[in-house]
Amino acid sequence: MEDAYVRSVSEVLDFFGVDSTKGLSDSQVLQHARLYGKNVLPEEERASFWKLVFKQFDDLLVKILIAAALVSFVLALINGETGLAAFLEPSVILLILAANAAVGVITETNAEKALEELRAYQADIATVLRNGCFSILPATELVPGDIVEVSVGSKIPADMRMIEMLTDQLRVDQAILTGESCSVEKDLESTKATNAVYQDKTNILFSGTVVVAGRARAVVVGVGASTAMGSIRDSMLRTDDEVTPLKKKLDEFGTFLAKVIAGICILVWIVNIGHFRDPSHGGFLRGAIHYFKIAVALAVAAIPEGLPAVVTTCLALGTKRMARLNAIVRSLPSVETLGCTTVICSDKTGTLTTNMMSVAKICVVNSVQNGPAIAEFGVTGTTYAPEGFIFDSTGIQLEFPAQLPCLLHIAMCSALCNESLLQYNPDNGNYEKIGESTEVALRVLAEKVGLPGFDSMPSALNMLSKHERASYCNHYWENQFKKVSVLEFSRDRKMMSVLCSHKQTDIMFSKGAPESIIARCRNILCNSDGSTVPLTATLRAELESRFNSFAGKETLRCLALALKIMPMGQQTLSIDDEKDLTFIGLVGMLDPPREEVRNAILSCMTAGIRVIVVTGDNKSTAESVCRKIGAFDHLVDYVGHSYTAAEFEELPAMQQTVALQRMALFTRVEPSHKRMLVEALQNQNEVVAMTGDGVNDAPALKKADIGIAMGSGTAVAKSASDMVLADDNFATIVAAVAEGRAIYNNTKQFIRYMISSNIGEVVCIFVAAVLGIPDTLAPVQLLWVNLVTDGLPATAIGFNRQDSDVMKAKPRKVGEAVVTGWLFFRYLVIGAYVGLATVAGFIWWFVYSETGPRLPYAELMNFDTCSTRETTYPCSIFEDRHPSTVSMTVLVVVEMFNALNNLSENQSLLVIPPWSNLWLVASIILTMLLHILILYVPPLSILFSVTPLSWDEWTVILYLSFPVIIIDEVLKFFSRNSNGIRFNFRFRRFDGLPKKELRDK
């Protein structure tokens, strides 16, 4: 029944055919169970394990690599190779792909946990009226039409319409669903609001929320998927995971690279058609297979096999650094997404605020004779921890607050006229509440005021254990005063009173709405001397003015406290007793902002990141918080910047677009609005981060480019998020964004390093094929260079230092290419030199080396006809392992020098020296040691078709390799000056990536 909130109680009962005094009959229960289904959130059908595995291989580059591995294996068999030589190359490729697939499967499996944990918020049992009798049943057996009784501490088992109040009031904590910081008072009246949000449905009890005060009966109107929790589940199921900007760019780059590779491979094969019939191949078909094998080797050289592994490793290193900042990353790619975040949609309650009501102001009457009549005190401390101080209006801390009469009696009243509990939970190290958050705030205030008569008491309290300290002062007052009678809060009186007995004196303490308490007061307690004097009209007006200031301008939730000396021996209280009271004081409380948030908001603005505060709270309260945290500092007025969900939905489409670009506050929202906001911002090309902690935040967290959950939040929110803030601190997001930007910069550096290296390998093979000289590198040698020699330095580049101005730059555009036109040109030049140097090393050994054959260059070009003509050298010289060893070593060493070029995109090595990243230096040393190992250890040298080199050969290798640093220094110089910009314009249209489906700003 979707519209139960607008129906009367009798209409709802008639709809389900139920008698409120008897409940459903057994036959009705069976009928309704068939009609409406079970009260459980249905499990979503999961993708099979093998479907997830195959999904990881649905990538063009991966498919090309698999094809290359299979072709390599088939060609090895055709050539008669057996054993390790035939299986090595395809096995290594397949192992890499299997490792990447495993990471992907694990990530996707974790994503399904959010839906499972949503079920944890369903109640286990319910007190149900059936066949005229109450019984306790599993909540899963509830059906629409069931009459359920709920009381303090009950978890609501289904969506229910209130039908009967059994106490004066019923209050429910709906924070996990709506984000409201205060509990909500429920009633029986039908809702008149059109387009009512959850907060407006005051006659509905929502599944998963908790009763904090009162007792009532309600009729079930929605079960399972038809509840508010069910709609959140459906919203999460409809939300597809967003592809991160880096993943999108890498996918696009992979598609582009695959097309280029295919084109080059076909080109190499076609260029050599004339050589298919060369006698050295033994026939046209064998010649075609030989050059096809070269084309496969080219594919292996061009595809950066180690790129996924290196990207994953770099992101993992970033997550470790972020974990030290209390930002726990659940999804590796989201680390990089932080770097281009343009909008942070932040939940207010529990994220920007502590989600713990706290007394911030106290107002008492000081004296009616001397000085100002009204005195105000400030209270520090923003959590339920009994830690904080009280300051007078001049900012001086009170050493012993309990020595002041009004503060002492405020502490008494706060402790005694109270139904809540405050306790310390050693498992999570936090102070926790049971009951109304406003009442717990009063208990904490009593602890901060302390006890009278002991000058050393403040220091003595600090010596207690946290468990004892939680309610030590409250327990003191409860032991001093015996509670005799309680007059509960009611909506018409708007106050609560308790009768206490203490040393032959009976006192009634009262608390409630200031307008109700002040109207019932005849006297006031003076803070200066503890005297009681009549409450004059002037003082009454002054108190009401302070109350209006607290509630209006400062948007504090206010309570007034009072007392009355009662006749001895009275055992009960009546409404008639609540008159002729003595006013003690006025307290103003709020859900206080976190202290660090203001600076964090400022950092976001400096970094070009817009913050939109999103909350289920009312507009005035939220605007007050925004003023306190600085979210409105840049605004002259709030018109056009602050909207309720209803106001926003009423705007025409064009005005909604404009509003989204200016919005700083979005109030009275429910889960669907948060998800809508994220989608709308994404449609405007924004990269959206959404923070939250409640169940209600989960769909938006999942939909956002990066979902950020609070460590103290619900398990559902954490599972739907990409990142969890262990300290619940909004300021941690700013540090995480800086880290994300640094990680992206380093990611770009090692991607460019690997691209330039692979371009070098492609140039090497292509030039050798065009020149008609023997194969410079064997496929297994290329694989070694791609995996080991490229991989280690590329990973170490991830440790490059963070730029000092990383948070002063604007967010990068989502469509910004990983390799732009000018940079592609730069790395094309570097890659060309790497390839030419590798070929030069190969030719040098044949033509100029003293240990080589010193062949004329023409002989080298005609090596394939050696067996058909007379020569002064044996044809076996072309099978010598020295030339390929020299070329392979040139390739390794030149890439080590190229790694040093990538310490910075544009800064010279003279400015950022190699030792600024010791990890890179260590990786270069380790790589060279591994390379020397395969050169000089016989089993490995045979496996990789290499041989030991002499010192003269090493000298030539260094001469051929070092110029790559000089070339890149020249290119960096152009990048730092106007020439680089001119080149950038020339190559702007080509960034190495397709343009479709980009959300480019």
Side-chain angles (χ1 to χ4, degrees):
M1 188 176 187
E2 294 182 358
D3 62 346
Y5 61 94
V6 299
R7 305 274 190 101
S8 66
V9 172
S10 57
E11 283 180 305
V12 175
L13 294 174
D14 290 343
F15 180 85
F16 292 110
V18 60
D19 184 340
S20 62
T21 61
K22 295 181 180 179
L24 295 175
S25 64
D26 291 338
S27 59
Q28 284 179 305
V29 170
L30 292 173
Q31 181 185 355
H32 289 196
R34 285 194 299 270
L35 193 59
Y36 300 108
K38 288 187 175 182
N39 186 31
V40 292
L41 293 179
E43 292 189 20
E44 183 65 15
E45 184 179 345
R46 294 187 182 182
S48 68
F49 173 77
W50 290 111
K51 190 173 181 180
L52 288 176
V53 171
F54 289 130
K55 182 180 176 182
Q56 310 310 315
F57 293 94
D58 188 19
D59 179 84
L60 194 54
L61 272 184
V62 171
K63 290 173 183 174
I64 290 177
L65 272 177
I66 293 173
L70 293 175
V71 169
S72 175
F73 177 65
V74 170
L75 292 179
L77 293 180
I78 291 174
N79 288 342
E81 296 177 22
T82 56
L84 188 61
F87 288 99
L88 179 65
E89 184 181 327
S91 298
V92 172
I93 293 174
L94 294 175
L95 277 173
I96 295 166
L97 296 177
N100 287 329
V103 172
V105 169
I106 292 169
T107 302
E108 294 208 23
T109 303
N110 286 339
E112 295 180 351
K113 289 184 179 177
L115 295 172
E116 295 175 15
E117 287 167 343
L118 197 58
R119 297 189 187 94
Y121 291 88
Q122 292 181 289
D124 297 323
I125 58 173
T127 304
V128 188
L129 177 65
R130 285 182 182 174
N131 301 308
C133 298
F134 277 102
S135 58
I136 297 176
L137 298 176
T140 54
E141 294 184 11
L142 287 180
V143 296
D146 266 327
I147 306 297
V148 178
E149 187 168 305
V150 295
S151 57
V152 176
S154 297
K155 185 182 286 185
I156 306 300
D159 280 9
M160 304 190 294
R161 168 66 160 90
M162 295 270 293
I163 60 170
E164 184 180 359
M165 297 283 288
L166 301 177
T167 54
D168 289 329
Q169 66 163 344
L170 184 84
R171 301 191 70 86
V172 178
D173 183 351
Q174 296 185 165
I176 66 164
L177 184 67
T178 63
E180 291 170 291
S181 54
C182 296
S183 60
V184 178
E185 187 174 349
K186 296 295 182 177
D187 55 42
L188 305 179
E189 299 302 317
S190 301
T191 302
K192 300 294 189 289
T194 55
N195 298 324
V197 295
Y198 291 142
Q199 294 91 323
D200 297 327
K201 299 174 184 177
T202 53
N203 54 26
I204 300 292
L205 305 179
F206 295 106
S207 173
T209 59
V210 179
V211 178
V212 295
R215 190 163 140 257
R217 287 179 189 166
V219 59
V220 175
V221 295
V223 295
S226 300
T227 62
M229 287 291 174
S231 66
I232 290 174
R233 168 192 168 274
D234 293 341
S235 182
M236 291 171 68
L237 287 175
R238 290 194 301 270
T239 302
D240 296 324
D241 292 330
E242 292 293 311
V243 179
T244 69
L246 179 61
K247 178 69 166 62
K248 183 180 287 187
K249 302 311 291 182
L250 290 178
D251 288 347
E252 291 169 354
F253 178 72
T255 303
F256 168 77
L257 193 60
K259 294 175 181 176
V260 172
I261 291 166
I264 293 175
C265 290
I266 293 169
L267 183 62
V268 168
W269 198 67
I270 292 173
V271 164
N272 285 285
I273 284 178
H275 296 284
F276 285 5
R277 298 184 182 278
D278 289 349
S280 60
H281 301 313
F284 182 86
L285 183 60
R286 285 190 171 274
I289 291 173
H290 173 79
Y291 286 104
F292 186 65
K293 193 172 182 181
I294 290 176
V296 171
L298 192 63
V300 173
I303 297 175
E305 293 93 340
L307 182 58
V310 174
V311 170
T312 302
T313 304
C314 185
L315 294 178
L317 292 171
T319 64
K320 281 195 170 183
R321 289 198 292 269
M322 291 173 74
R324 289 196 290 270
L325 300 172
N326 289 315
I328 300 162
V329 175
R330 299 184 65 256
S331 169
L332 286 183
S334 64
V335 176
E336 172 273 331
T337 310
L338 279 167
C340 54
T341 298
T342 58
V343 177
I344 297 176
C345 295
S346 177
D347 189 46
K348 177 185 74 70
T349 306
T351 307
L352 299 174
T353 65
T354 62
N355 196 21
M356 300 181 190
M357 292 299 287
S358 175
V359 173
K361 288 278 186 75
I362 300 173
C363 173
V364 299
V365 175
N366 194 45
S367 171
V368 293
Q369 297 172 347
N370 302 317
I374 304 295
E376 281 190 14
F377 298 92
V379 185
T380 64
T382 57
T383 67
Y384 290 142
E387 301 159 1
F389 304 100
I390 298 176
F391 294 82
D392 64 18
S393 56
T394 62
I396 298 174
Q397 180 185 332
L398 304 183
E399 278 195 77
F400 307 109
Q403 291 181 349
L404 297 177
C406 284
L407 293 185
L408 176 64
H409 284 82
I410 284 174
M412 289 182 194
C413 187
S414 296
L416 297 168
C417 194
N418 203 312
E419 299 291 307
S420 68
L421 290 175
L422 176 66
Q423 60 189 20
Y424 179 72
N425 186 339
D427 293 335
N428 57 23
N430 290 327
Y431 290 90
E432 295 180 344
K433 66 162 185 165
I434 297 176
E436 267 293 347
S437 55
T438 51
E439 292 200 329
V440 177
L442 291 176
R443 286 211 179 273
V444 175
L445 175 63
E447 297 297 327
K448 292 175 182 178
V449 171
L451 300 176
F454 304 98
D455 286 353
S456 61
M457 185 51 69
S459 58
L461 288 173
N462 292 334
M463 298 175 67
L464 298 172
S465 69
K466 289 187 174 181
H467 178 72
E468 293 174 306
R469 181 68 187 91
S471 294
Y472 185 85
C473 298
N474 282 273
H475 289 159
Y476 173 84
W477 293 119
E478 287 167 350
N479 291 331
Q480 291 291 315
F481 290 82
K482 179 187 175 184
K483 281 190 183 182
V484 179
S485 178
V486 176
L487 197 57
E488 288 187 347
F489 180 95
S490 69
R491 189 175 307 146
D492 54 345
R493 290 164 38 246
K494 295 183 180 178
M495 63 183 293
M496 167 191 179
S497 298
V498 57
L499 177 62
C500 300
S501 175
H502 172 68
K503 294 181 180 179
Q504 306 303 312
T505 303
D506 287 350
I507 304 176
M508 181 182 74
F509 291 103
S510 300
K511 77 168 191 293
E515 62 271 23
S516 296
I517 295 289
I518 294 174
R520 288 172 168 81
C521 288
R522 176 179 290 183
N523 304 307
I524 56 170
L525 182 69
C526 292
N527 196 46
S528 58
D529 56 8
S531 61
T532 300
V533 298
L535 176 58
T536 63
T538 305
L539 275 177
R540 191 183 299 272
E542 180 66 20
L543 287 173
E544 288 175 351
S545 173
R546 291 299 173 101
F547 159 58
N548 291 330
S549 174
F550 277 15
K553 184 180 177 182
E554 300 183 52
T555 61
L556 298 177
R557 181 166 185 171
C558 296
L559 287 176
L561 309 176
L563 61 81
K564 180 181 179 182
I565 304 299
M566 303 294 289
M568 280 289 296
Q570 184 168 333
Q571 295 297 310
T572 59
L573 286 177
S574 68
I575 296 175
D576 293 335
D577 292 320
E578 293 178 327
K579 60 184 179 182
D580 300 334
L581 306 179
T582 299
F583 180 83
I584 306 173
L586 182 72
V587 297
M589 57 186 75
L590 76 163
D591 179 9
R594 295 178 181 275
E595 295 174 0
E596 314 85 356
V597 166
R598 173 172 276 277
N599 288 335
I601 295 279
L602 183 62
S603 296
C604 286
M605 291 179 180
T606 305
I609 300 170
R610 186 156 59 103
V611 178
I612 300 177
V613 179
V614 184
T615 178
D617 253 345
N618 65 65
K619 194 172 184 178
S620 60
T621 302
E623 286 179 349
S624 172
V625 171
C626 286
R627 283 194 295 271
K628 290 183 173 72
I629 63 175
F632 285 168
D633 282 2
H634 61 298
L635 305 178
V636 177
D637 60 64
Y638 310 152
V639 177
H641 300 278
S642 174
Y643 294 92
T644 65
E647 289 171 349
F648 181 79
E649 287 184 327
E650 288 172 2
L651 294 175
M654 187 61 69
Q655 289 185 31
Q656 282 188 354
T657 301
V658 175
L660 281 171
Q661 295 169 354
R662 304 176 63 202
M663 186 184 289
L665 176 63
F666 197 35
T667 54
R668 303 301 281 174
V669 301
E670 57 183 31
S672 60
H673 293 130
K674 292 186 177 184
R675 190 172 180 274
M676 175 273 293
L677 176 64
V678 171
E679 287 180 344
L681 288 168
Q682 288 174 337
N683 289 336
Q684 291 192 355
N685 302 321
E686 304 282 6
V687 179
V688 184
M690 166 64 81
T691 74
D693 57 355
V695 173
N696 59 314
D697 299 318
L701 289 175
K702 192 176 180 188
K703 177 63 181 172
D705 294 287
I706 175 163
I708 306 171
M710 301 297 109
S712 63
T714 61
V716 178
K718 292 177 189 174
S719 295
S721 67
D722 302 298
M723 189 173 85
V724 178
L725 300 184
D727 59 357
D728 286 13
N729 196 337
F730 181 84
T732 303
I733 299 174
V734 179
V737 168
E739 190 63 41
R741 290 185 174 191
I743 288 169
Y744 179 73
N745 290 340
N746 291 341
T747 303
K748 284 199 300 184
Q749 287 304 103
F750 72 67
I751 289 174
R752 290 165 184 162
Y753 164 69
M754 297 189 83
I755 291 171
S756 62
S757 298
N758 282 42
I759 288 173
E761 294 166 18
V762 170
V763 168
C764 166
I765 293 173
F766 186 76
V767 169
V770 170
L771 293 178
I773 62 176
D775 300 342
T776 52
L777 295 167
V780 71
Q781 292 172 337
L782 280 171
L783 209 56
W784 170 262
V785 172
N786 273 359
L787 293 180
V788 181
T789 342
D790 285 357
L792 289 173
T795 304
I797 288 170
F799 288 94
N800 284 351
R801 286 188 309 195
Q802 187 182 113
D803 294 341
S804 58
D805 60 348
V806 72
M807 284 301 285
K808 293 179 182 176
K810 300 300 179 187
R812 75 176 192 278
K813 295 175 182 176
V814 181
E816 178 184 298
V818 177
V819 183
T820 58
W822 163 243
L823 281 171
F824 188 79
F825 172 78
R826 275 177 55 179
Y827 289 96
L828 197 62
V829 172
I830 295 295
Y833 180 79
V834 169
L836 293 174
T838 305
V839 173
F842 186 85
I843 295 173
W844 168 84
W845 188 86
F846 276 108
V847 179
Y848 300 107
S849 174
E850 293 183 1
T851 57
R854 288 180 175 266
L855 299 178
Y857 180 69
E859 287 292 318
L860 182 60
M861 288 184 66
N862 293 304
F863 78 99
D864 48 358
T865 60
C866 177
S867 59
T868 63
R869 55 191 173 82
E870 289 188 13
T871 58
T872 57
Y873 55 87
C875 292
S876 60
I877 195 69
F878 297 114
E879 296 175 7
D880 195 297
R881 288 185 293 170
H882 268 93
S884 64
T885 304
V886 170
S887 60
M888 180 185 179
T889 306
V890 168
L891 183 59
V892 169
V893 175
V894 78
E895 288 187 5
M896 294 306 99
F897 284 126
N898 190 29
L900 295 176
N901 289 333
N902 285 276
L903 281 166
S904 172
E905 184 176 314
N906 293 318
Q907 291 299 319
S908 168
L909 278 172
L910 298 175
V911 176
I912 301 180
W915 51 86
S916 65
N917 186 344
L918 293 177
W919 286 103
L920 181 58
V921 175
S923 71
I924 290 172
I925 293 171
L926 180 58
T927 299
M928 291 309 302
L929 288 174
L930 289 171
H931 185 68
I932 289 169
L933 189 69
I934 69 167
L935 292 185
Y936 296 97
V937 176
L940 292 173
S941 61
I942 294 169
L943 182 64
F944 289 98
S945 300
V946 292
T947 190
L949 298 176
S950 65
W951 177 247
D952 289 339
E953 289 167 331
W954 274 106
T955 303
V956 171
I957 287 166
L958 289 171
Y959 277 131
L960 288 171
S961 303
F962 186 76
V964 76
I965 285 183
I966 298 171
I967 294 170
D968 200 55
E969 285 292 313
V970 172
L971 292 170
K972 283 180 178 179
F973 174 80
F974 280 112
S975 288
R976 292 192 299 269
N977 294 279
S978 58
N979 285 350
I981 297 172
R982 190 162 65 245
F983 273 116
N984 190 32
F985 175 76
R986 187 179 303 166
F987 287 92
R988 180 173 58 86
R989 296 289 300 175
F990 177 72
D991 63 359
L993 302 172
K995 289 293 184 185
K996 67 178 182 177
E997 295 183 5
L998 292 184
R999 298 205 309 258
D1000 207 348
K1001 285 193 74 179

